[in-house]
Amino acid sequence: MSDRVINFNPGPATLPLSVLETVKNELLNYHDEGMSIMEMSHRSKTFDNLVIETGALVREIMGFSDNYQTLFLQGGATAQFAAIPLNFSMEGKYGEYVDTGSWSKKAIAEVEKLDKPFRVVATSKDDNYKYIPTDFRIGEDAAYFHITSNNTIFGTQWQQYPNSGDVPMVADMSSDFYCRQFDLHQFGLIYAGAQKNAGPSGITIVLIRKDLLQRSPENIPTILNYQIFAGKNSLYNTPNTFGVYLVNLVMHWIKSQGGIKVIEETNRRKAKLLYDQLDSSDFYKPHARKEDRSIMNITWRLPSEDVEKKFISEAIENGLVGLKGHRSVGGLRASIYNAMTIEGVQALVDFMKEFEKKNG
Ligand code: PMP
């Protein structure tokens, strides 16, 4: 489809074309129901089955056992910043956080507002969040240990997760959800707004270890109570039905690609293409330190802000959109989530080569 641009937006972000085509084909009449999925009762058997199937697919694709439950929630990853301390705080214990930039800071701001005990065990603020801190200890008196697995704005990503022992690790995986394989066993909970790697905005995927459901106190707002949503299979209130449908299609798409292993290999090839270009001269100046570079969000600067502006506008003329960096880093950012193709990244790299020739 030649009228589609190459979309490097950070989220909402590009979706697999085949998924969008399925949506188009099924939009008016979902599975012979005579109506679209958006018009169907969330209490219908058809929708109930879809939620069950999608929850199971989300677990199956990454290899999560039945000890975990999938939840589909609303309020974005931002709602989880508050839900985590509300559900997981424990008398005499601390929520522990690693601060790797804006999204971690927002998570920390919520626990602070709620007046729950917490500590920030490490931060990379001293170098404008160019790296992932490694020098910290997880306390034995921690109720949970929270990280942001990938910082969308700064372009850093945990390469290896720390060992949190018996303390449940909680990860905001919004911008690197299902982009690679990882060791699941330490995770008490992972969460991700779907709008980058799993579907549209307005739906948040949560995977929670079932024993932790016991922690949710009764006196917290129902909409943020994990135990209640788990007990109702995410159907306590009206969910984002269209969102569940899209997550279902994206999970099937991941399977059709060969699963997470193949997705990861492709993601690493895409990231290497772009980083090799960034490292090939001094014209492009990558933001994140090499050892902590994200394979999802790639950030860099150019020699001046004027050249950066020129880059962005000429890129748009070439059908490459969404490359403007976040204001806290400036410069450029290419978000190359699962649905971005190798060809898309290659087109950007070709453009960068030409741009450097003319402006370097
Ligand atoms: N965490 C991360 C890592 C993000 O990138 C974002 C959004 N860009 C958020 C949290 C906030 O997500 P939402 O807008 O879904 O609340």
Side-chain angles (χ1 to χ4, degrees), residues 37-335:
I37 193 82
M38 285 178 283
E39 299 165 296
M40 196 175 291
S41 169
H42 64 296
R43 303 285 172 212
S44 64
K45 192 77 206 135
T46 304
F47 188 75
D48 198 43
N49 286 341
L50 185 71
V51 175
I52 293 169
E53 188 206 303
T54 311
L57 259 176
V58 168
R59 284 197 311 274
E60 178 203 320
I61 283 177
M62 192 50 82
F64 279 100
S65 69
D66 285 346
N67 288 341
Y68 288 81
Q69 181 154 356
T70 314
L71 304 177
F72 299 111
L73 305 176
Q74 297 186 64
T78 302
Q80 299 313 307
F81 297 162
I84 289 152
L86 283 171
N87 284 273
F88 285 175
S89 290
M90 293 169 91
E91 188 79 35
K93 294 197 168 192
Y94 293 81
E96 292 196 329
Y97 289 78
V98 178
D99 169 27
T100 49
S102 20
W103 301 112
S104 321
K105 281 206 294 206
K106 289 193 168 165
I108 294 163
E110 293 300 291
V111 65
E112 196 166 7
K113 262 191 228 172
L114 288 163
D115 211 16
K116 302 286 183 197
F118 77 99
R119 359 178 220 245
V120 178
V121 297
T123 175
S124 48
K125 192 172 176 203
D126 60 338
D127 196 12
N128 199 18
Y129 299 111
K130 286 183 180 163
Y131 70 101
I132 301 285
T134 48
D135 192 15
F136 59 85
R137 230 178 50 82
I138 299 166
E140 275 161 24
D141 56 351
Y144 59 90
F145 169 71
H146 181 282
I147 61 168
T148 312
S149 58
N150 183 81
N151 193 299
T152 327
I153 290 176
F154 296 97
T156 56
Q157 187 174 29
W158 290 78
Q159 309 298 317
Q160 249 185 335
Y161 294 121
N163 183 352
S164 67
D166 291 336
V167 177
M169 185 145 64
V170 173
D172 173 2
M173 293 198 177
S174 293
S175 50
D176 66 350
F177 184 74
Y178 284 17
C179 79
R180 59 179 177 181
Q181 296 172 295
F182 60 89
D183 183 9
L184 313 174
H185 79 274
Q186 302 188 77
F187 286 95
L189 182 145
I190 70 175
Y191 64 102
Q195 66 268 25
K196 300 161 196 303
N197 249 347
S201 59
I203 178 164
T204 310
I205 302 170
V206 168
L207 280 138
I208 182 167
R209 215 176 65 208
K210 284 180 181 165
D211 60 288
L212 291 168
L213 292 168
Q214 306 312 319
R215 283 203 198 173
S216 306
E218 272 176 29
N219 64 351
I220 62 174
T222 311
I223 193 75
L224 297 174
N225 186 313
Y226 292 136
Q227 194 183 104
I228 289 179
F229 271 77
K232 298 282 184 194
N233 196 28
S234 302
L235 297 174
Y236 173 78
N237 71 331
T238 320
N240 175 350
T241 53
F242 187 71
V244 173
Y245 166 60
L246 247 86
V247 171
N248 182 280
L249 295 180
V250 173
M251 292 303 124
H252 277 297
W253 173 80
I254 290 178
K255 270 181 101 166
S256 75
Q257 300 299 295
I260 298 286
K261 189 169 176 287
V262 175
I263 291 279
E264 174 171 358
E265 282 163 12
T266 311
N267 283 335
R268 294 201 182 280
R269 277 170 59 206
K270 286 172 350 197
K272 185 172 185 313
L273 257 180
L274 202 41
Y275 282 122
D276 282 351
Q277 177 58 34
L278 289 174
D279 291 336
S280 68
S281 78
D282 291 337
F283 183 66
Y284 296 109
K285 299 172 181 38
H287 177 78
R289 287 191 196 164
K290 250 185 189 162
E291 61 275 20
D292 294 324
R293 285 172 166 179
S294 167
I295 58 169
M296 293 280 98
N297 307 99
I298 297 178
T299 49
W300 70 93
R301 304 290 316 238
L302 285 169
S304 73
E305 287 189 9
D306 283 345
V307 180
E308 288 171 351
K309 276 193 195 132
K310 190 165 183 231
F311 183 101
I312 292 163
S313 68
E314 287 184 18
I316 293 170
E317 284 163 23
N318 282 274
L320 307 162
V321 310
L323 289 164
K324 191 173 185 315
H326 189 274
R327 61 190 175 280
S328 44
V329 180
L332 289 304
R333 166 176 56 180
S335 297

